[in-house]
Amino acid sequence: MKIKIKAFANVKEAFGFDEKDLTVSDGITVREVIEQFKTICEPLNEFNGSLLYAVNEAYCPESTVLMDEDTLAIFPPVSGG
Amino acid sequence: MVKTALQQDRIDIAGIMANIGGSSDGAVVSFIGRARDNSGDRQVLHLEYEAYGEMARKQLQAIADDAAARWSLSSCTVVHRYGRVEIGEASIIIAASSPHRKEAFRAVEYIIDTIKERVPIWKKEFFSDGSVWVNGHT
């Protein structure tokens, strides 16, 4: 199935992209996607559990199972205001 | 009436304040967040805000709606900027009106605290020799 990844702020800089389409296996979780990225993107390991996730613009836990056409956003703690 | 916006343009503070609330409101409370010229002992030249636009707009509206319901506000306006913000400019305004002051004060504090916790917007400080992302709330 296909999903879209979006990255923001210093996570975007670590990834080197702000948006990417990925083909992943059915039933994959957010955690599994992140683990795969960590193997190819060393700087991502520095975020140590502080990363936040949103699927289709709603916050979600790492255990969330992704569906076809989902958009997974990955970002650091927010600092607006 | 609850109005929220995420915009690149400068915030029209006078226009917002002139239009908030009505004749049955005894209180208007506002918070304006401005770009500060320092961070610790470093001089900041300007700020840049990055936003996850679609999600940030939904969150701003949800937080303002929630506050308006909880404190029975008669009106509430929240505007947050993205992109480059110069020193001294407002990056955010929150304005709330209610018949009595207590509700408006509490609502505005709740809204800014919750925005800083939840709305996907990130601040970058620019110095003469580089820039850093501001560490967010964890």
Side-chain angles (χ1 to χ4, degrees):
Chain A
M1 63 179 192
K2 283 194 163 39
I3 61 169
K4 187 187 290 289
I5 303 287
K6 281 178 180 268
F8 295 93
N10 43 1
V11 173
K12 176 178 75 180
E13 290 169 2
F15 277 163
F17 64 80
D18 61 357
E19 207 172 301
K20 200 184 205 57
D21 292 320
L22 278 190
T23 302
V24 295
S25 42
D26 287 3
I28 198 167
T29 63
V30 171
R31 182 181 297 117
E32 288 163 342
V33 172
I34 300 304
E35 290 307 319
Q36 287 185 19
F37 271 119
K38 281 181 177 172
T39 64
I40 55 166
C41 178
E42 178 61 27
L44 203 56
N45 291 287
E46 291 165 22
F47 290 92
N48 291 328
S50 69
L51 291 174
L52 298 172
Y53 313 106
V55 172
N56 304 332
E57 299 158 18
Y59 281 109
C60 70
E62 272 193 335
S63 56
T64 303
V65 175
L66 294 166
M67 312 288 278
D68 193 29
E69 304 285 320
D70 274 352
T71 296
L72 168 62
I74 306 168
F75 47 81
V78 303
S79 55
Chain B
M1 191 192 344
V2 177
K3 287 197 253 181
T4 62
L6 176 68
Q7 66 183 43
Q8 198 164 8
D9 296 339
R10 289 175 69 157
I11 297 172
D12 175 14
I13 296 171
I16 290 168
M17 296 310 293
N19 289 304
I20 194 87
S23 52
S24 62
D25 293 319
V28 173
V29 173
S30 65
F31 170 78
I32 295 168
R34 299 200 311 178
R36 198 173 42 223
D37 71 356
N38 66 88
S39 178
D41 54 2
R42 301 185 79 184
Q43 190 189 359
V44 176
L45 302 180
H46 72 272
L47 301 178
E48 272 186 30
Y49 286 88
E50 180 174 317
Y52 182 4
E54 308 92 313
M55 182 173 170
R57 287 188 173 89
K58 283 186 190 175
Q59 292 268 332
L60 286 174
Q61 187 68 36
I63 292 164
D65 284 341
D66 177 33
R70 282 172 70 170
W71 286 283
S72 302
L73 302 177
S74 60
S75 64
C76 179
T77 296
V78 180
V79 180
H80 199 304
R81 287 179 68 186
Y82 68 92
R84 181 172 170 136
V85 176
E86 303 297 340
I87 299 305
E89 287 183 0
S91 56
I92 183 170
I93 185 169
I94 301 164
S97 66
S98 55
H100 303 283
R101 70 185 181 284
K102 194 180 284 179
E103 289 76 15
F105 269 120
R106 289 196 176 149
V108 169
E109 185 171 35
Y110 167 81
I111 292 168
I112 184 61
D113 289 348
T114 310
I115 286 172
K116 283 179 168 286
E117 247 174 58
R118 283 223 307 257
V119 178
I121 298 175
W122 301 271
K123 175 162 53 183
K124 198 173 201 179
E125 294 172 335
F126 285 76
F127 311 103
S128 59
D129 58 350
S131 61
V132 293
W133 289 104
V134 174
N135 283 329
H137 180 101
T138 50

